[in-house]
Amino acid sequence: MKLKNINPTSTRAWSTLQQHFNETKDVKMQELFKKNPNRKSDYTLKFDDFTLDFSKNRINNQTFNSLIDLAKETGLKEAIEAQFSGEKINVTENRAVLHTALRDKSNTPILVDEKNIKPEVAATLSKIKDFSDNVINGKFKGYTNKPFTDVVNIGIGGSDLGPKMAVEALKFYQNHLKCHFISNVDGDHVYETIKNLNPETTLFVIVSKTFTTQETLTNALTVQKWFLEKATVADIAHNFVAVSTNLEAVKDFGISPNNIFPMWDWVGGRYSLWSAVGLTIALSVGYKNFDDFLTGANQMDVHFKNTSFDKNLPVVLALISIWYNNFFNSETEVLLPYTQYLELLPMYLQQTIMESNGKSVDRNGDAINYQTGTIVWGSTGTNAQHAFMQLVHQGTKLIPADFIGFLEPLHGDSNHHAKLMANLYGQTEALYKGKTKGEVNIELKLADKTHDIEKLLPFKTFAGNKPSNTLLIQKLTPNALGRLIALYEHKTFVQGVIWNIYSFDQFGVELGKELAKNYLKC
Ligand code: F6P
């Protein structure tokens, strides 16, 4: 079963949406709330302890229904089935797209080239479990027989961003191992990271799906040279492991075959933290937590696969985003997690979203005449409020926002948490309500600044009508993180399907790499 090949702008739903946009583009959300007192609950979806409130969007029932029609007309249902069942929907690389199989513990076989991949996935998970258990409990030791104290993940892109983001996000659950990440080919990044490390007690995890990536190989060789200043070639077997599909290249590097964790070409780099690429996550928080993380992602997979589009969290988020991207011509979206633990989430999702959907030819290979991939950026609240939120509130651009909040803080301080969450709610309210001239008038009068009213009125007025989604989650657990990441993975998938592009290649990254090689030859 292939993905359908439909120009979304040629669908009936798109024409309806275009006309509907022309008629409703100036409608204020405040009016929509006034008209429907139940708007908040009508536009709220629940999935386990996730609550998605999408009421503060410039949509009404007709918008919503037409967006759902767009998903139906562009073959989303069939596309989801094709992805989960292992069809080679990554057509340009002739590969299946099965990061979802890495977290599917059911007994249902998944076939790639007529071979069930489930046993290999299970065997690799069991290898990750054994290895991480034994490093954490001190049974596996470094070359001088001392237990490990530090772990250094060497990789870039999908072989860095996912593990780094998840290790940071799950810091609360971390054990005694200190995790470090080297990605940039900038030597200063390498030397700064290793300068205080002891080679005897440091485990190096070299992660590269292809094992040909210049940055990772250069960094790994530099680290190996530093290691060999103290140790011997035979000692590499104790302190170095690798994660790759390219077993030969890893062996050539000097890593013992026992220390190689396999990967598969049916897992894209930016979707690979669920595989052995997540080894550093398992080392950092223990296998049980890593397993909960996978389970969470699988729960979101099941929700995505089996829930009707109108109640399907990834589908609804994707459709709302298309509404702004393709009709309001919004170019960017801002992501605002209200927890410091998710500081790296926007950067991680930039790769997921922008490497996947930054495409300008459709599935026919023809140039596209509509907008595709959104630009995503962001930072944690409340820090963001003191940095860039001014532009979101009062700038000229329409920037839809996703607010992500947790109902329970991990360290249990209710004073801080009340303030944190009050800020989240305050921001979403300010964005959609804005502030009218009348309100500014009253405010200045009350502040005894009547004489300033004329001067300040235009500057203190907020147009409002700025859209946002609010996702509330009970608590930042490994399971919740798994569900959250899978939510955005599927949102990205849905958008790629509707935009009629291939979301799982990344040829755009290659040209710069090739040209850099020419400069090195000079
Ligand atoms: O940036 C391009 C890319 O191919 C990413 O998709 C990938 O995550 C990264 O490079 C690293 O690749 P590898 O794991 O093969 O070293």
Short mmCIF file of all heavy atoms in Angstrom, two decimals, residues 443-488:
data_model
loop_
_atom_site.label_atom_id
_atom_site.label_comp_id
_atom_site.label_asym_id
_atom_site.label_seq_id
_atom_site.Cartn_x
_atom_site.Cartn_y
_atom_site.Cartn_z
N GLU A 443 -7.37 51.49 33.40
CA GLU A 443 -6.15 51.17 34.15
C GLU A 443 -5.36 52.44 34.46
O GLU A 443 -4.91 52.65 35.58
CB GLU A 443 -5.31 50.20 33.29
CG GLU A 443 -4.05 49.72 33.93
CD GLU A 443 -3.20 48.94 32.92
OE1 GLU A 443 -3.54 47.77 32.65
OE2 GLU A 443 -2.22 49.52 32.40
N LEU A 444 -5.19 53.28 33.44
CA LEU A 444 -4.38 54.49 33.65
C LEU A 444 -5.08 55.48 34.58
O LEU A 444 -4.44 56.14 35.39
CB LEU A 444 -4.04 55.14 32.30
CG LEU A 444 -3.04 54.34 31.46
CD1 LEU A 444 -2.88 54.94 30.07
CD2 LEU A 444 -1.67 54.27 32.13
N LYS A 445 -6.42 55.52 34.48
CA LYS A 445 -7.15 56.42 35.38
C LYS A 445 -6.96 55.97 36.82
O LYS A 445 -6.67 56.76 37.71
CB LYS A 445 -8.64 56.42 35.03
CG LYS A 445 -8.97 57.42 33.94
CD LYS A 445 -10.47 57.49 33.69
CE LYS A 445 -10.72 58.26 32.41
NZ LYS A 445 -11.95 57.82 31.75
N LEU A 446 -7.12 54.65 37.02
CA LEU A 446 -6.98 54.11 38.38
C LEU A 446 -5.58 54.34 38.93
O LEU A 446 -5.37 54.48 40.12
CB LEU A 446 -7.30 52.61 38.40
CG LEU A 446 -8.78 52.25 38.23
CD1 LEU A 446 -8.97 50.74 38.15
CD2 LEU A 446 -9.60 52.82 39.39
N ALA A 447 -4.60 54.35 38.00
CA ALA A 447 -3.21 54.55 38.43
C ALA A 447 -2.88 56.05 38.55
O ALA A 447 -1.72 56.43 38.68
CB ALA A 447 -2.27 53.88 37.47
N ASP A 448 -3.93 56.86 38.45
CA ASP A 448 -3.77 58.30 38.55
C ASP A 448 -2.87 58.87 37.44
O ASP A 448 -2.06 59.76 37.68
CB ASP A 448 -3.18 58.63 39.94
CG ASP A 448 -3.80 59.90 40.49
OD1 ASP A 448 -4.77 60.37 39.87
OD2 ASP A 448 -3.31 60.41 41.52
N LYS A 449 -3.02 58.29 36.25
CA LYS A 449 -2.18 58.75 35.13
C LYS A 449 -3.05 59.23 33.97
O LYS A 449 -2.73 59.01 32.80
CB LYS A 449 -1.28 57.61 34.66
CG LYS A 449 -0.18 57.28 35.65
CD LYS A 449 0.82 56.31 35.05
CE LYS A 449 1.96 56.10 36.01
NZ LYS A 449 2.74 54.93 35.71
N THR A 450 -4.16 59.91 34.30
CA THR A 450 -5.09 60.37 33.28
C THR A 450 -4.37 61.21 32.24
O THR A 450 -4.64 61.12 31.04
CB THR A 450 -6.23 61.18 33.96
OG1 THR A 450 -6.68 60.43 35.06
CG2 THR A 450 -7.37 61.43 33.00
N HIS A 451 -3.43 62.01 32.70
CA HIS A 451 -2.70 62.92 31.79
C HIS A 451 -1.87 62.14 30.75
O HIS A 451 -1.50 62.66 29.72
CB HIS A 451 -1.79 63.85 32.58
CG HIS A 451 -0.91 63.11 33.55
ND1 HIS A 451 -1.40 62.59 34.73
CD2 HIS A 451 0.39 62.79 33.48
CE1 HIS A 451 -0.42 61.99 35.36
NE2 HIS A 451 0.67 62.08 34.63
N ASP A 452 -1.58 60.83 31.03
CA ASP A 452 -0.76 60.04 30.09
C ASP A 452 -1.59 59.25 29.09
O ASP A 452 -1.05 58.64 28.16
CB ASP A 452 0.10 59.02 30.87
CG ASP A 452 1.32 59.67 31.46
OD1 ASP A 452 1.71 60.74 30.95
OD2 ASP A 452 1.87 59.12 32.42
N ILE A 453 -2.90 59.24 29.28
CA ILE A 453 -3.75 58.34 28.49
C ILE A 453 -3.54 58.53 26.99
O ILE A 453 -3.26 57.58 26.26
CB ILE A 453 -5.24 58.48 28.87
CG1 ILE A 453 -5.45 57.92 30.27
CG2 ILE A 453 -6.14 57.75 27.86
CD1 ILE A 453 -6.85 58.00 30.81
N GLU A 454 -3.63 59.74 26.54
CA GLU A 454 -3.53 59.98 25.09
C GLU A 454 -2.21 59.48 24.53
O GLU A 454 -2.13 58.84 23.49
CB GLU A 454 -3.69 61.47 24.82
CG GLU A 454 -4.25 61.73 23.46
CD GLU A 454 -4.39 63.21 23.22
OE1 GLU A 454 -4.85 63.93 24.13
OE2 GLU A 454 -4.00 63.63 22.12
N LYS A 455 -1.15 59.75 25.31
CA LYS A 455 0.19 59.39 24.85
C LYS A 455 0.39 57.86 24.83
O LYS A 455 0.98 57.30 23.92
CB LYS A 455 1.20 60.04 25.81
CG LYS A 455 2.63 59.93 25.35
CD LYS A 455 3.57 60.73 26.25
CE LYS A 455 3.92 59.91 27.48
NZ LYS A 455 4.69 60.59 28.49
N LEU A 456 -0.12 57.17 25.88
CA LEU A 456 0.22 55.74 26.05
C LEU A 456 -0.76 54.75 25.44
O LEU A 456 -0.44 53.58 25.26
CB LEU A 456 0.38 55.43 27.55
CG LEU A 456 1.58 56.08 28.22
CD1 LEU A 456 1.62 55.72 29.71
CD2 LEU A 456 2.89 55.63 27.56
N LEU A 457 -1.97 55.26 25.16
CA LEU A 457 -3.04 54.34 24.72
C LEU A 457 -2.62 53.35 23.62
O LEU A 457 -2.78 52.13 23.79
CB LEU A 457 -4.26 55.16 24.31
CG LEU A 457 -5.59 54.43 24.38
CD1 LEU A 457 -5.88 53.93 25.79
CD2 LEU A 457 -6.71 55.35 23.91
N PRO A 458 -2.05 53.82 22.50
CA PRO A 458 -1.74 52.85 21.43
C PRO A 458 -0.70 51.83 21.84
O PRO A 458 -0.71 50.69 21.35
CB PRO A 458 -1.20 53.73 20.29
CG PRO A 458 -1.01 55.09 20.82
CD PRO A 458 -1.68 55.20 22.14
N PHE A 459 0.19 52.20 22.73
CA PHE A 459 1.29 51.29 23.07
C PHE A 459 0.88 50.24 24.09
O PHE A 459 1.43 49.16 24.15
CB PHE A 459 2.49 52.10 23.60
CG PHE A 459 2.91 53.16 22.63
CD1 PHE A 459 2.56 54.49 22.83
CD2 PHE A 459 3.60 52.81 21.48
CE1 PHE A 459 2.91 55.47 21.91
CE2 PHE A 459 3.96 53.78 20.55
CZ PHE A 459 3.61 55.11 20.76
N LYS A 460 -0.11 50.62 24.91
CA LYS A 460 -0.51 49.69 25.97
C LYS A 460 -1.69 48.81 25.55
O LYS A 460 -2.15 47.97 26.30
CB LYS A 460 -0.86 50.49 27.24
CG LYS A 460 0.40 51.03 27.91
CD LYS A 460 0.07 51.56 29.29
CE LYS A 460 1.22 51.44 30.25
NZ LYS A 460 1.17 50.33 31.15
N THR A 461 -2.17 49.04 24.32
CA THR A 461 -3.27 48.23 23.82
C THR A 461 -2.71 46.97 23.18
O THR A 461 -1.72 47.03 22.46
CB THR A 461 -4.08 49.03 22.78
OG1 THR A 461 -4.50 50.25 23.38
CG2 THR A 461 -5.27 48.25 22.27
N PHE A 462 -3.35 45.82 23.47
CA PHE A 462 -2.94 44.56 22.84
C PHE A 462 -4.07 44.12 21.92
O PHE A 462 -5.21 44.02 22.38
CB PHE A 462 -2.81 43.43 23.88
CG PHE A 462 -1.62 43.48 24.80
CD1 PHE A 462 -1.25 44.64 25.45
CD2 PHE A 462 -0.91 42.32 25.04
CE1 PHE A 462 -0.18 44.64 26.34
CE2 PHE A 462 0.16 42.31 25.90
CZ PHE A 462 0.53 43.47 26.56
N ALA A 463 -3.75 43.78 20.68
CA ALA A 463 -4.82 43.34 19.76
C ALA A 463 -5.43 42.02 20.22
O ALA A 463 -6.62 41.76 20.02
CB ALA A 463 -4.24 43.19 18.37
N GLY A 464 -4.64 41.16 20.85
CA GLY A 464 -5.16 39.85 21.26
C GLY A 464 -5.44 38.98 20.05
O GLY A 464 -4.86 39.17 18.98
N ASN A 465 -6.35 38.02 20.24
CA ASN A 465 -6.72 37.10 19.15
C ASN A 465 -5.52 36.26 18.68
O ASN A 465 -5.47 35.87 17.52
CB ASN A 465 -7.34 37.87 17.98
CG ASN A 465 -8.50 37.12 17.36
OD1 ASN A 465 -9.06 36.22 17.98
ND2 ASN A 465 -8.86 37.46 16.14
N LYS A 466 -4.58 36.03 19.58
CA LYS A 466 -3.39 35.22 19.25
C LYS A 466 -3.63 33.80 19.72
O LYS A 466 -3.94 33.58 20.90
CB LYS A 466 -2.14 35.78 19.94
CG LYS A 466 -1.92 37.27 19.77
CD LYS A 466 -1.12 37.57 18.54
CE LYS A 466 -1.16 39.05 18.27
NZ LYS A 466 -0.11 39.67 17.67
N PRO A 467 -3.48 32.84 18.83
CA PRO A 467 -3.89 31.48 19.16
C PRO A 467 -2.89 30.71 20.04
O PRO A 467 -1.69 30.95 19.98
CB PRO A 467 -3.96 30.80 17.79
CG PRO A 467 -3.09 31.60 16.90
CD PRO A 467 -3.03 32.99 17.45
N SER A 468 -3.44 29.79 20.82
CA SER A 468 -2.57 28.88 21.57
C SER A 468 -3.30 27.59 21.89
O SER A 468 -4.53 27.55 21.98
CB SER A 468 -2.09 29.53 22.87
OG SER A 468 -3.16 29.69 23.77
N ASN A 469 -2.51 26.52 22.04
CA ASN A 469 -3.00 25.26 22.59
C ASN A 469 -2.41 25.13 23.98
O ASN A 469 -1.26 25.53 24.20
CB ASN A 469 -2.49 24.07 21.76
CG ASN A 469 -3.02 24.10 20.34
OD1 ASN A 469 -4.23 24.14 20.14
ND2 ASN A 469 -2.12 24.08 19.37
N THR A 470 -3.17 24.55 24.89
CA THR A 470 -2.63 24.29 26.22
C THR A 470 -2.71 22.79 26.49
O THR A 470 -3.81 22.22 26.51
CB THR A 470 -3.42 25.04 27.31
OG1 THR A 470 -3.42 26.42 26.97
CG2 THR A 470 -2.79 24.85 28.68
N LEU A 471 -1.55 22.19 26.66
CA LEU A 471 -1.51 20.76 26.98
C LEU A 471 -1.11 20.62 28.44
O LEU A 471 -0.02 21.02 28.83
CB LEU A 471 -0.48 20.05 26.07
CG LEU A 471 -0.29 18.57 26.34
CD1 LEU A 471 -1.56 17.76 26.06
CD2 LEU A 471 0.87 18.01 25.50
N LEU A 472 -2.03 20.07 29.23
CA LEU A 472 -1.72 19.86 30.65
C LEU A 472 -1.53 18.37 30.90
O LEU A 472 -2.32 17.54 30.44
CB LEU A 472 -2.84 20.40 31.53
CG LEU A 472 -3.04 21.92 31.48
CD1 LEU A 472 -4.21 22.33 32.36
CD2 LEU A 472 -1.77 22.66 31.88
N ILE A 473 -0.47 18.05 31.63
CA ILE A 473 -0.11 16.66 31.91
C ILE A 473 0.05 16.55 33.42
O ILE A 473 0.52 17.50 34.07
CB ILE A 473 1.22 16.31 31.19
CG1 ILE A 473 1.07 16.52 29.67
CG2 ILE A 473 1.67 14.88 31.50
CD1 ILE A 473 2.36 16.46 28.88
N GLN A 474 -0.34 15.43 33.99
CA GLN A 474 -0.30 15.31 35.44
C GLN A 474 1.10 15.56 36.00
O GLN A 474 1.30 16.40 36.86
CB GLN A 474 -0.80 13.92 35.86
CG GLN A 474 -1.02 13.74 37.35
CD GLN A 474 -2.02 14.72 37.93
OE1 GLN A 474 -3.01 15.09 37.29
NE2 GLN A 474 -1.76 15.19 39.15
N LYS A 475 2.09 14.84 35.46
CA LYS A 475 3.41 14.88 36.09
C LYS A 475 4.46 14.46 35.05
O LYS A 475 4.19 13.59 34.21
CB LYS A 475 3.38 13.86 37.23
CG LYS A 475 4.53 13.88 38.17
CD LYS A 475 4.23 12.92 39.32
CE LYS A 475 5.50 12.64 40.08
NZ LYS A 475 5.28 11.72 41.18
N LEU A 476 5.63 15.04 35.14
CA LEU A 476 6.70 14.68 34.18
C LEU A 476 7.35 13.36 34.60
O LEU A 476 8.34 13.35 35.34
CB LEU A 476 7.73 15.80 34.06
CG LEU A 476 8.89 15.55 33.09
CD1 LEU A 476 8.40 15.16 31.70
CD2 LEU A 476 9.79 16.77 32.99
N THR A 477 6.78 12.26 34.13
CA THR A 477 7.34 10.93 34.39
C THR A 477 7.97 10.44 33.08
O THR A 477 7.70 10.99 32.01
CB THR A 477 6.22 9.95 34.78
OG1 THR A 477 5.30 9.91 33.67
CG2 THR A 477 5.51 10.38 36.04
N PRO A 478 8.77 9.35 33.12
CA PRO A 478 9.29 8.79 31.87
C PRO A 478 8.15 8.41 30.92
O PRO A 478 8.23 8.63 29.71
CB PRO A 478 10.07 7.55 32.34
CG PRO A 478 10.49 7.88 33.74
CD PRO A 478 9.36 8.68 34.31
N ASN A 479 7.08 7.87 31.48
CA ASN A 479 5.94 7.47 30.65
C ASN A 479 5.32 8.70 29.97
O ASN A 479 5.03 8.69 28.77
CB ASN A 479 4.91 6.75 31.54
CG ASN A 479 3.68 6.32 30.76
OD1 ASN A 479 2.89 7.14 30.34
ND2 ASN A 479 3.53 5.02 30.56
N ALA A 480 5.13 9.77 30.72
CA ALA A 480 4.52 10.99 30.14
C ALA A 480 5.44 11.58 29.08
O ALA A 480 4.97 12.04 28.03
CB ALA A 480 4.25 12.01 31.24
N LEU A 481 6.75 11.53 29.31
CA LEU A 481 7.68 12.06 28.30
C LEU A 481 7.56 11.24 27.01
O LEU A 481 7.54 11.81 25.92
CB LEU A 481 9.12 12.03 28.83
CG LEU A 481 10.15 12.64 27.87
CD1 LEU A 481 9.97 14.15 27.72
CD2 LEU A 481 11.59 12.32 28.31
N GLY A 482 7.47 9.92 27.16
CA GLY A 482 7.31 9.06 25.97
C GLY A 482 6.06 9.44 25.19
O GLY A 482 6.09 9.57 23.96
N ARG A 483 4.96 9.67 25.91
CA ARG A 483 3.72 10.03 25.21
C ARG A 483 3.84 11.39 24.53
O ARG A 483 3.36 11.60 23.42
CB ARG A 483 2.55 10.04 26.21
CG ARG A 483 2.02 8.63 26.47
CD ARG A 483 0.87 8.63 27.44
NE ARG A 483 1.34 8.88 28.79
CZ ARG A 483 0.61 9.38 29.78
NH1 ARG A 483 -0.65 9.71 29.55
NH2 ARG A 483 1.12 9.56 30.97
N LEU A 484 4.51 12.32 25.23
CA LEU A 484 4.65 13.68 24.68
C LEU A 484 5.48 13.68 23.39
O LEU A 484 5.10 14.32 22.39
CB LEU A 484 5.32 14.57 25.74
CG LEU A 484 5.53 16.03 25.37
CD1 LEU A 484 4.20 16.74 25.16
CD2 LEU A 484 6.34 16.75 26.45
N ILE A 485 6.60 12.96 23.41
CA ILE A 485 7.45 12.95 22.21
C ILE A 485 6.71 12.27 21.05
O ILE A 485 6.72 12.77 19.92
CB ILE A 485 8.79 12.20 22.49
CG1 ILE A 485 9.55 12.83 23.65
CG2 ILE A 485 9.67 12.16 21.23
CD1 ILE A 485 9.85 14.26 23.52
N ALA A 486 6.05 11.16 21.35
CA ALA A 486 5.31 10.45 20.29
C ALA A 486 4.18 11.33 19.74
O ALA A 486 3.88 11.28 18.54
CB ALA A 486 4.76 9.12 20.83
N LEU A 487 3.58 12.13 20.60
CA LEU A 487 2.52 13.06 20.15
C LEU A 487 3.05 13.98 19.05
O LEU A 487 2.43 14.14 17.98
CB LEU A 487 2.04 13.88 21.37
CG LEU A 487 1.15 15.09 21.11
CD1 LEU A 487 -0.21 14.66 20.59
CD2 LEU A 487 0.96 15.91 22.39
N TYR A 488 4.22 14.56 19.28
CA TYR A 488 4.78 15.48 18.28
C TYR A 488 5.32 14.73 17.06
O TYR A 488 5.27 15.25 15.94
CB TYR A 488 5.83 16.40 18.91
CG TYR A 488 5.16 17.56 19.62
CD1 TYR A 488 4.91 17.52 20.99
CD2 TYR A 488 4.71 18.66 18.90
CE1 TYR A 488 4.26 18.57 21.62
CE2 TYR A 488 4.06 19.71 19.53
CZ TYR A 488 3.83 19.66 20.89
OH TYR A 488 3.17 20.70 21.50
#
